[in-house]
Amino acid sequence: MADDTTGTEGGRARALKVHHLRPAPGARTAKTRVGRGEASKGKTAGRGTKGTKARYQVSAGFEGGQTPLHMRLPKLRGFHNPFGTTYQVVNLDRLSELFPDGGAVGVEEMVSAGAVRKNQKVKVLGQGSADVALQVSAHAFSASAVEKIAAAGGSTTRL
C-alpha cells in the first residue's frame, strides 16, 4: 500500500499540478497597506509630495491641461443609412464558370458552389458573358446582366 508522501497512488505516480503547490511556511509577506497612518508606511503613500496627483485620483488619460489624445484625433465622418440594402455581387463570368452546363441557378445553388455567403441578398452583375442558357433567380440584377442572360437564351427571376 502506497502512502501520500511517496507520490504514488495505487502503484501509479501521481501527477504534480499547479494547484497542489503551496508557499513554504513564512514565505509570504503580507501586502503593505499604504496611506493608513504615520506608523506604517503612511504619509505620502507612494504619491510623492504635493501637486494634483498627490491630492486626489487623476484619470490615466489626463494630460495636464493639454488637449487629450482622444480629442486631438479626427472623428468618424460620413453617414450610414440604416435603411440601405447591401448585396453580395456575382458576375456573369463567375456564374458561367461555376455552372458550365446551364440550367436553374438560385441563391442556394450559388451558396453551395461557394459564390456567395448564405442569408444575404444577391445581385447579379453583367461583367463577362453568359455562354449557356441560365435560369437565374436572385434578389437584384443589373440591366446589362438581364440583357446578356436573355441573349444567351436564359431567364431572370427576382426574389
Side-chain angles (χ1 to χ4, degrees):
M1 184 166 112
D3 61 0
D4 287 337
T5 56
T6 59
T8 60
E9 196 176 277
R12 292 183 312 215
R14 225 176 19 176
L16 182 67
K17 297 190 172 123
V18 176
H19 64 270
H20 292 149
L21 299 175
R22 294 283 178 269
R28 290 183 58 147
T29 307
K31 181 181 158 193
T32 304
R33 295 176 69 236
V34 296
R36 296 295 183 271
E38 289 289 322
S40 59
K41 304 279 186 181
K43 202 168 171 264
T44 56
R47 289 171 171 253
T49 55
K50 298 186 185 175
T52 309
K53 288 183 179 179
R55 301 182 200 287
Y56 63 92
Q57 193 67 37
V58 179
S59 66
F62 184 66
E63 300 186 31
Q66 174 176 299
T67 305
L69 180 66
H70 71 89
M71 293 179 74
R72 288 195 304 254
L73 295 175
K75 309 297 183 283
L76 289 173
R77 301 294 300 266
F79 170 75
H80 172 71
N81 185 0
F83 304 107
T85 306
T86 54
Y87 294 99
Q88 294 185 83
V89 295
V90 181
N91 283 301
L92 282 181
D93 53 2
R94 182 85 170 124
L95 286 180
S96 57
E97 176 188 316
L98 291 172
F99 305 100
D101 302 330
V105 177
V107 176
E108 294 80 21
E109 288 81 10
M110 291 184 222
V111 169
S112 61
V116 293
R117 290 180 297 280
K118 64 181 178 179
N119 300 329
Q120 293 184 23
K121 293 187 176 186
V122 177
K123 183 172 184 175
V124 179
L125 301 181
Q127 182 179 332
S129 61
D131 304 327
V132 292
L134 294 168
Q135 288 77 39
V136 185
S137 57
H139 298 96
F141 295 90
S142 68
S144 61
V146 172
E147 187 180 300
K148 289 179 181 180
I149 290 171
S155 62
T156 58
T157 308
R158 285 184 67 129
L159 298 176

